[in-house]
Amino acid sequence: PRLALTQKWSGALPGANDNVWIPKWQAVIMDISPPPLASIIIEGDLIFDRADLELTATTIEVRGGLLQVGTAQNPFTHSANISLLGGRNGPEEILFFDKDTGRKVKKADSSLVVTGTLDLHGVPRSHSWTRLASKVNAGDSHVTVQGAVNWKAGDQIVIASTDFSPHLDENRTITSAEIIRNPGVPAVTVLRFSPKLESSHYAGTETHGTRSMEIRAEVGLLTRNIVIQRRVPDPSEYGPAVLVTAYDESYTDCTGARCVSGFLRQLRGAATLSNVMFLNAGQGGLRSALMFDQLRDGGKNSYVSACVFNNLYWNGIGITTSSGVKVVDSVFFRSVGPSVIIDLPPGRMKKNKETIPLADKSFGTHLINNLAVRMVFSGTHNGADSALDKKHMEASFDDSGRLTVLQGNAAAGTERAGFVSPGLVCGSGNMSDNTVHSSLFGFAYNFDEVPGSCREVTGATAYKVLNWAIWGELVDTMIGKVSKVRVADSKVGFYLRQAGPPSKEHLRADKQIQIEDAMFIGRSGNNNCDPAPMGAYTCTAMTARCFNINRNHVGVVLPDYASGPNGGPFPHPWEDADSYSAIGGYTTINGITFAGFGMGCRSQRDFAIGTNPLIADSSHPATISRAELSNVDMVSKANFHNPNPNWISISDCIDMDCDGLKHTFLTDSDGTFLTTPGAPSNGGTVVARAEFFNAKASGAIIPSTLRVKADRSLATPEQVAYNGFGIARPGCTFIPDWNAHHCPDAVANAYRTLVLENLDKDSEVRRISPVAFAADGWVDLMNGMMDHGWCFGYTCLKRLMSFWALVRLGMDYQVHFSGTAPQDLRLHLLYGSPTDAIKVRIHYQAPQRLQVFVGDRFVEDVNWFDGRHKSDLVRAGRWASNNNEGTYTNVNVTLNDPHGSNTFVQGSRTGEWPTKMLHIILRTTEAIEIRTMPVVRAAMSVQVSVADFFKVQDAFVENVAAVLGIPLDRITIVDVVAGNARRRNLLSSGTEVVFEVTPSASVSFPESEIFVREDQGTIDFQVVRSVNIFGNVSVVVWTEAGTATAGTNYNPANETLRFLTQQTKLTVSVPIISVAGFGSTKSFKLQMANATGGSIVNSTVTVHVLNVHPPTPATPVLAGLSALKDSITATWSAPSWSAPDGYEVAEYQVDRRVWDSSLNAFSTWNMMNTTTVASLAMSVAG
């Protein structure tokens, strides 16, 4: 039955401070406003009658029932207020507690807990918010807004700030509204109000070239006829909080006076809200005004449409583990913390948890066409000093969910960021037309939360942003893409960084950052050189970085590619590197408009493109094309920073400048960026000022080996660097305002990054710098990486001795180390093409055999064949002479030779200088590795002529091998010289024979322990040969049973592997058998022995076979029985089981089944956690 509240109900009407229960069989029409109640529990229906009504209570719980004001089809047209009482120190009731997970559902004072349905629908309005049609000035008493809005006198509006300060929004009450319609133009509405405006609010369109952007203040409607409120504002900032949640509970079913216990019911909350206002809501530091929690897929049953959240004490809407919730066309004014927060971000969770598990994330939330005006940062609100300030960047729209749809939202004034998001999969289309302005930060993207091949930022507009408009950090993503963005009047328009993989672990990933279809405006028509103060507490934390307000503007800061995340925004700044450079990385800027970059405020110059002054170690290639320029001075196109002189310290870069900022370059591939308008050009390059040395750079000294002349005297630094220090730059012009060189179109695409990767184990502790890169009288001195480590509260005094040099194609470079050259070295000519070519000559002081590999392919010295010098082969009749004397003349490599071609120039007898140089040709981006073979070099004087020696050469080798007790093939004649041809102190007669003793080959398993899954099939185990790759080597490899049994867990293997000369890798295949049923991890070994032609280093690898089958659940036992009028539910359970070590959660499945009586079978099974209860539930109809 449906009863009006005025009818007799349980003998009397509710009185003041009564506790009210509406049972599930009762539907109550509230036709009067009852006195303030203590608590209301709604298991049936409570429906507002069509009249002006107010419901006041300390707590309301919709426990499986319905609280309804209007319907979606028939909205409520009167005034309805739901006022919640109580204070911060009131009692809390625990409605649900899960001892396994620790989850609690609490009902506190001033709370409305919904585990049934909250259905509220007020009077629809034509627009929840719009934008100004024209600019208004301080002193105006009306605004003209876009569209024909049906707002009326008495309605409250908020006009957003369009300055840097988020606090210049203004609230007004409309006194009259007039819609103006003129033919051929969109309708507008004139809103008049009182008092007059105190600030100007901008509205205009910026069009430059083929792109445009709208800069217009938003105007939001703050009036609704259904209100959930704290009627009197609370100084302690504790107001109503609505919790929509779900849980299961034991239940006693009552009909009239008859009650039956033993039932289990599922309580699943849903809220369908439209045109409702939350006023003075939220519980500061505790609860959002509206929370959707643990609804999981049931979140799709809830939506918030055209609602208002006005003067909040905490977050507006919080969504946690609730998928499919829709928030559309709503207005948020003055939230403390995010207006909308989806899942708690890292650093904001209880019990120090870092992330919400992926299975518990909120998927598919829709945030569409919402306006958030003035988000107050919780970390400094009212002078607070919260740890949250140090852990997370709050945002008006704070999204840590998955596959969130973000379309048409505006963050209009925020004390931190406008949007925080993990970004989207490229091409998903879930993000478009979002705007942020009047904020400290703009769009912040935590790409590292969601790995993938490509993540995207698109459809973003930002203006009047004090720090960066668009920032993001990618970790496990190969491509970061930014498209369809518009930025104006911001200190930094764009800065992304790629993190990983770590270069000190010798890993390379060719990651990219792509910018396309973008516009950056340095100073728009909304420019103001005297911005208003930011707010009383806005800037009290260092992470606010409010000192940027009087600095110049930069459109694009060239991205950074680092070994790892930077820990921003605290303890390190968002733009800090905080780790060594990554090896790979490439930036493309394609289809971009720069406008309004010139002399800015306070005689400070704005720049279209700049470098990050905090990047100490390296810069990576960047290319721009299809650029449009409008009102951009030539000198405002680029700004390259010098390294910080404070980095010259024992804690950072020791006694030289750090390398990174001195080796930046930007290539204009089509001439659209660097060319002066009207001048013909095909491109050009901006090259950093590597010749710059801070006054404290006392360690910038040319290595002595580069200064040695052919007569053994030392050249002066000026004689060596006769064209100058720094990057080779013939034909380039230094532009002081750029702090960089402009190299014209003739040398466009002529520069590449050459990475010298030190592979030695002591690459962080043995200094080999300064390293000189010398070519044609230019000498570039490089220092190596900065010390980024922290050991016992201080820096670790470790620096990676790898180098990112900037080289010019077509040139011949000498590389000299100040210390002993690395034993193993890898060269990367980043993003070179087959038509590119440079020659690199690397000086090696010690006489050793060098082996050059392109990838895994050995490339032998052009003057050697199969481990022997060609001159020996000519004398032995096994190689053709290349001269008229019937001997062999050494040849050198040239720029026309293939990638990896090499030769080692040992001496100067033939006039070659300098000596002891490995010459290598680099063309493509494929890495070249130089491995040093440790050899013993010796010289022996024999009393025969050079000619006679070659007649007895074989006997000489045999005798030496016999004395040393080694095979003949480990001895190589390196040089044969007449006694007086080498040194003055040698005998004047006889012959000096120089020979090398090479080590034996080493054969090993590269790993000592391997984990495989039993369902992986055949596994190929690698066997590696190293040190000496010449000659044939064989080893025997076999399997040896352990806890894994041959024939049961794997098929045995026993074979002989034969390495041919120059062959470095072979594999042995072992089929793994998948055994049905659950079992523990089992192991077997691969053994290696009986080497011929070499020695074994690592002879054993242990193989662990991981079981992939779940255990058979134990026999279920009856755990519970419950009944409803039309069904009986029985529950069985079995003992829990845990996954063994080494397994991921997703590798295990346990059944939770439901008996389908119509099919007479079990149905519906789902994934459970690693420790779970295998349960069965059966429902029997009737």
Side-chain angles (χ1 to χ4, degrees):
R2 299 168 70 88
L3 299 177
L5 196 58
T6 51
Q7 294 179 271
K8 288 186 178 181
W9 175 43
S10 298
L13 288 173
N17 298 317
D18 277 355
N19 296 317
V20 173
W21 171 49
I22 301 176
K24 74 171 190 175
W25 65 84
Q26 191 73 67
V28 175
I29 304 295
M30 197 181 89
D31 58 349
I32 63 169
S33 299
L37 303 173
S39 70
I40 306 172
I41 297 176
I42 305 170
E43 296 190 73
D45 296 348
L46 178 60
I47 302 170
F48 276 45
D49 200 3
R50 300 288 171 158
D52 293 344
L53 297 169
E54 180 165 3
L55 178 62
T56 303
T58 302
T59 63
I60 301 174
E61 181 184 353
V62 184
R63 187 184 296 173
L66 168 68
L67 174 57
Q68 186 177 74
V69 182
T71 66
Q73 296 74 28
N74 187 14
F76 189 79
T77 57
H78 295 268
S79 172
N81 293 325
I82 300 175
S83 299
L84 291 168
L85 308 175
R88 183 179 295 273
N89 299 319
E92 290 185 346
E93 178 185 352
I94 297 177
L95 302 179
F96 170 78
F97 174 65
D98 187 331
K99 64 180 181 180
D100 293 326
T101 64
R103 180 189 170 216
K104 295 180 181 179
V105 176
K106 298 179 181 180
K107 181 168 64 174
D109 276 8
S110 200
S111 293
L112 195 168
V113 179
V114 181
T115 54
T117 300
L118 180 66
D119 191 34
L120 311 178
H121 301 276
V123 174
R125 297 302 190 99
S126 62
H127 298 70
S128 290
W129 62 281
T130 181
R131 289 185 167 94
L132 288 182
S134 56
K135 178 183 177 182
V136 293
N137 297 310
D140 287 349
S141 58
H142 72 276
V143 295
T144 302
V145 300
Q146 295 177 330
V149 303
N150 65 349
W151 304 350
K152 60 184 185 298
D155 287 345
Q156 285 194 338
I157 60 172
V158 59
I159 307 168
S161 170
T162 52
D163 204 341
F164 282 111
S165 173
H167 298 277
L168 298 183
D169 54 70
E170 301 190 67
N171 284 25
R172 294 293 184 269
T173 300
I174 298 174
T175 56
S176 67
E178 179 186 2
I179 298 174
I180 298 176
R181 291 184 172 91
N182 290 316
V185 295
V188 297
T189 303
V190 178
L191 304 175
R192 302 188 182 278
F193 44 74
S194 178
K196 297 179 180 180
L197 294 175
E198 297 179 6
S199 301
S200 296
H201 300 267
Y202 187 79
T205 301
E206 293 279 334
T207 300
H208 300 276
T210 61
R211 295 177 178 86
S212 63
M213 70 177 290
E214 296 288 319
I215 302 176
R216 298 179 184 275
E218 296 81 3
V219 183
L221 178 64
L222 298 181
T223 298
R224 296 294 187 273
N225 66 311
I226 299 177
V227 182
I228 298 174
Q229 66 180 356
R230 185 180 188 93
R231 181 170 289 280
V232 179
D234 180 37
S236 70
E237 298 197 334
Y238 189 89
V242 178
L243 171 63
V244 185
T245 188
Y247 58 87
D248 298 343
E249 71 169 4
S250 298
Y251 174 66
T252 298
D253 183 71
C254 295
T255 302
R258 182 186 174 206
C259 294
V260 180
S261 63
F263 292 94
L264 179 70
R265 69 172 173 179
Q266 297 178 329
L267 295 174
R268 301 292 182 263
T272 50
L273 312 177
S274 64
N275 293 288
V276 176
M277 179 162 69
F278 290 72
L279 179 62
N280 302 325
Q283 297 170 355
L286 297 172
R287 301 172 186 91
S288 302
L290 174 60
M291 295 166 284
F292 298 93
D293 181 56
Q294 302 297 321
L295 299 177
R296 298 192 178 273
D297 289 344
K300 63 180 179 292
N301 300 319
S302 296
Y303 63 82
V304 179
S305 176
C307 292
V308 173
F309 295 78
N310 188 359
N311 193 42
L312 302 178
Y313 298 146
W314 196 238
N315 309 151
I317 298 177
I319 302 171
T320 305
T321 315
S322 301
S323 297
V325 177
K326 295 180 175 62
V327 181
V328 299
D329 296 326
S330 294
V331 176
F332 301 82
F333 173 65
R334 200 264 182 197
S335 66
V336 179
S339 299
V340 180
I341 182 168
I342 304 173
D343 292 333
L344 292 176
R348 292 291 302 276
M349 298 186 64
K350 298 178 181 179
K351 298 182 180 179
N352 295 320
K353 293 180 180 179
E354 289 301 319
T355 58
I356 293 176
L358 183 62
D360 294 335
K361 286 287 188 179
S362 300
F363 282 79
T365 305
H366 283 57
L367 300 182
I368 300 176
N369 199 42
N370 300 291
L371 170 63
V373 179
R374 200 203 308 174
M375 184 207 83
V376 178
F377 177 48
S378 65
T380 56
H381 175 50
N382 284 341
D385 183 16
S386 170
L388 299 182
D389 175 40
K390 303 177 180 179
K391 295 181 179 180
H392 179 65
M393 175 63 69
E394 283 187 340
S396 297
F397 299 96
D398 201 330
D399 173 27
S400 291
R402 296 294 178 267
L403 303 178
T404 303
V405 177
L406 280 166
Q407 296 176 347
N409 303 288
T414 166
E415 290 189 345
R416 282 306 180 267
F419 295 79
V420 167
S421 167
L424 298 171
V425 175
C426 292
S428 66
N430 286 357
M431 181 185 297
S432 62
D433 301 323
N434 296 298
T435 300
V436 59
H437 62 87
S438 309
S439 64
L440 270 70
F441 305 92
F443 294 85
Y445 291 94
N446 297 324
F447 295 100
D448 57 304
E449 291 188 22
V450 186
S453 61
C454 181
R455 304 292 294 177
E456 182 177 40
V457 176
T458 186
T461 296
Y463 62 90
K464 289 294 183 177
V465 178
L466 188 60
N467 288 283
W468 34 259
I470 298 173
W471 177 91
E473 183 174 69
L474 303 103
V475 179
D476 295 319
T477 301
M478 289 300 296
I479 299 175
K481 189 174 181 180
V482 176
S483 63
K484 299 179 182 177
V485 301
R486 305 291 186 263
V487 177
D489 302 307
S490 299
K491 299 302 175 179
V492 173
F494 164 90
Y495 180 63
L496 291 189
R497 66 190 313 270
Q498 282 273 19
S503 54
K504 78 172 184 178
E505 295 179 14
H506 311 300
L507 301 173
R508 169 180 164 181
D510 293 317
K511 295 187 173 184
Q512 298 181 46
I513 292 176
Q514 303 172 355
I515 315 171
E516 59 185 38
D517 187 12
M519 180 164 73
F520 296 93
I521 301 174
R523 306 277 173 173
S524 73
N526 189 33
N527 181 49
N528 177 11
C529 286
D530 295 304
M534 297 300 295
Y537 300 111
T538 307
C539 302
T540 55
M542 277 300 295
T543 51
R545 304 175 70 80
C546 288
F547 51 77
N548 278 340
I549 195 164
N550 291 323
R551 293 189 175 181
N552 63 333
H553 297 181
V554 179
V556 172
V557 171
L558 294 177
D560 171 35
Y561 297 82
S563 284
N566 69 353
F570 188 91
H572 298 284
W574 55 267
E575 70 272 42
D576 198 2
D578 200 41
S579 63
Y580 297 135
S581 290
I583 294 172
Y586 185 64
T587 301
T588 57
I589 306 170
N590 181 33
I592 191 167
T593 299
F594 291 106
F597 288 94
M599 190 61 70
C601 297
R602 299 173 182 83
S603 300
Q604 295 187 92
R605 182 167 293 280
D606 301 326
F607 293 96
I609 295 179
T611 56
N612 178 357
L614 295 187
I615 299 303
D617 289 340
S618 76
S619 295
H620 292 73
T623 300
I624 187 170
S625 59
R626 296 176 53 233
E628 294 180 330
L629 303 179
S630 175
N631 297 322
V632 178
D633 298 343
M634 183 67 179
V635 294
S636 292
K637 292 182 178 181
N639 180 32
F640 283 21
H641 293 87
N642 287 327
N644 188 334
N646 293 327
W647 290 340
I648 303 178
S649 72
I650 192 66
S651 302
D652 294 314
C653 293
I654 313 297
D655 54 5
M656 286 179 62
D657 290 307
C658 301
D659 292 334
L661 293 170
K662 297 171 62 171
H663 294 84
T664 305
F665 73 111
L666 171 68
T667 299
D668 178 6
S669 62
D670 61 2
T672 55
F673 180 67
L674 292 178
T675 306
T676 302
S681 178
N682 295 318
T685 307
V686 183
V687 176
R689 189 183 172 198
E691 68 274 19
F692 171 82
F693 296 103
N694 273 300
K696 298 192 296 182
S698 60
I701 300 172
I702 296 177
S704 60
T705 54
L706 178 59
R707 295 176 57 195
V708 175
K709 297 190 289 188
D711 62 2
R712 308 296 179 181
S713 63
L714 287 179
T716 65
E718 293 75 18
Q719 290 173 326
V720 176
Y722 52 85
N723 273 323
F725 285 93
I727 298 160
R729 51 191 186 278
C732 303
T733 303
F734 180 68
I735 308 294
D737 288 286
W738 296 1
N739 193 39
H741 302 274
H742 179 201
C743 301
D745 56 338
V747 293
N749 303 309
Y751 288 92
R752 296 286 183 271
T753 297
L754 173 63
V755 181
L756 269 65
E757 181 188 1
N758 186 347
L759 302 179
D760 289 357
K761 292 182 179 180
D762 62 356
S763 59
E764 283 191 291
V765 296
R766 182 173 68 87
R767 183 175 181 180
I768 56 175
S769 65
V771 177
F773 290 78
D776 289 352
W778 309 93
V779 177
D780 186 14
L781 296 178
M782 301 198 69
N783 186 19
M785 302 292 98
M786 174 187 275
D787 184 351
H788 292 283
W790 286 97
C791 298
F792 307 105
Y794 195 68
T795 52
C796 297
L797 302 182
K798 291 182 178 180
R799 298 196 301 131
L800 184 64
M801 288 289 103
S802 291
F803 307 88
W804 281 251
L806 185 54
V807 295
R808 180 166 165 161
L809 299 177
M811 300 192 76
D812 184 342
Y813 282 86
Q814 292 186 53
V815 178
H816 289 255
F817 302 95
S818 293
T820 302
Q823 296 294 291
D824 295 316
L825 190 64
R826 190 179 290 150
L827 309 181
H828 308 260
L829 186 64
L830 293 184
Y831 315 111
S833 67
T835 59
D836 296 345
I838 64 167
K839 182 176 182 179
V840 175
R841 294 183 283 164
I842 304 174
H843 182 266
Y844 287 86
Q845 186 65 30
Q848 302 194 66
R849 185 80 64 87
L850 301 173
Q851 299 172 336
V852 176
F853 294 82
V854 176
D856 292 330
R857 178 175 58 87
F858 174 66
V859 181
E860 196 166 10
D861 188 317
V862 295
N863 293 306
W864 290 65
F865 179 77
D866 200 16
R868 296 189 64 182
H869 197 278
K870 290 179 181 178
S871 60
D872 288 346
L873 299 177
V874 170
R875 286 189 288 266
R878 294 172 52 194
W879 197 270
S881 171
N882 65 349
N883 58 38
N884 295 328
E885 299 174 1
T887 59
Y888 181 83
T889 301
N890 283 344
V891 297
N892 209 324
V893 292
T894 71
L895 294 175
N896 295 321
D897 289 331
H899 185 61
S901 300
N902 68 91
T903 187
F904 187 79
V905 177
Q906 171 62 40
S908 58
R909 240 178 339 107
T910 57
E912 295 165 300
W913 185 262
T915 61
K916 300 178 181 178
M917 305 289 286
L918 176 64
H919 298 225
I920 304 179
I921 299 300
L922 288 91
R923 287 189 176 279
T924 68
T925 194
E926 188 174 12
I928 293 177
E929 190 166 319
I930 305 167
R931 303 174 190 167
T932 300
M933 181 194 301
V935 299
V936 176
R937 176 168 291 185
M940 182 179 295
S941 181
V942 294
Q943 294 303 308
V944 295
S945 65
V946 172
D948 289 340
F949 171 78
F950 290 112
K951 298 177 184 179
V952 296
Q953 176 179 346
D954 292 343
F956 175 85
V957 171
E958 290 174 2
N959 291 335
V960 173
V963 171
L964 297 178
I966 60 175
L968 296 177
D969 60 6
R970 289 180 56 190
I971 298 177
T972 303
I973 303 298
V974 175
D975 205 359
V976 180
V977 185
N980 60 357
R982 187 181 295 274
R983 300 185 185 94
R984 291 191 296 269
N985 61 349
L986 287 176
L987 297 173
S988 58
S989 61
T991 298
E992 183 185 48
V993 179
V994 181
F995 62 93
E996 288 179 345
V997 179
T998 59
S1000 62
S1002 294
V1003 183
S1004 66
F1005 292 114
E1007 299 173 292
S1008 60
E1009 194 173 36
I1010 295 176
F1011 290 85
V1012 300
R1013 290 164 50 108
E1014 65 175 352
D1015 60 354
Q1016 284 184 249
T1018 299
I1019 306 296
D1020 291 329
F1021 296 95
Q1022 197 173 84
V1023 181
V1024 177
R1025 172 201 188 165
S1026 60
V1027 183
N1028 191 337
I1029 64 171
F1030 295 106
N1032 298 331
V1033 177
S1034 66
V1035 292
V1036 177
V1037 179
W1038 72 97
T1039 55
E1040 182 179 284
T1043 55
T1045 305
T1048 301
N1049 303 105
Y1050 66 94
N1051 288 333
N1054 190 329
E1055 61 180 288
T1056 300
L1057 301 181
R1058 293 180 172 86
F1059 291 89
L1060 301 179
T1061 186
Q1062 301 184 21
Q1063 194 171 14
T1064 59
K1065 293 181 180 179
L1066 293 174
T1067 58
V1068 57
S1069 299
V1070 179
I1072 306 298
I1073 301 173
S1074 182
V1075 181
F1078 178 75
S1080 61
T1081 299
K1082 297 184 177 356
S1083 303
F1084 67 92
K1085 292 182 178 180
L1086 272 177
Q1087 301 278 21
M1088 179 169 28
N1090 301 331
T1092 60
S1095 59
I1096 296 174
V1097 177
N1098 181 21
S1099 63
T1100 303
V1101 57
T1102 301
V1103 182
H1104 302 280
V1105 182
L1106 304 179
N1107 180 271
V1108 297
H1109 300 285
T1112 302
T1115 303
V1117 295
L1118 187 62
L1121 188 66
S1122 61
L1124 296 173
K1125 292 180 179 179
D1126 54 357
S1127 66
I1128 300 173
T1129 299
T1131 302
W1132 291 267
S1133 67
S1136 63
W1137 60 277
S1138 298
D1141 293 339
Y1143 287 82
E1144 297 293 335
V1145 173
E1147 294 177 6
Y1148 298 92
Q1149 293 177 340
V1150 175
D1151 290 354
R1152 172 173 285 172
R1153 302 186 183 182
V1154 176
W1155 183 265
D1156 189 324
S1157 58
S1158 64
L1159 299 175
N1160 196 31
F1162 288 110
S1163 64
T1164 68
W1165 64 306
N1166 58 292
M1167 194 86 69
M1168 306 300 294
N1169 290 329
T1170 47
T1171 301
T1172 187
V1173 176
S1175 62
L1176 306 172
M1178 182 176 74
S1179 298
V1180 182

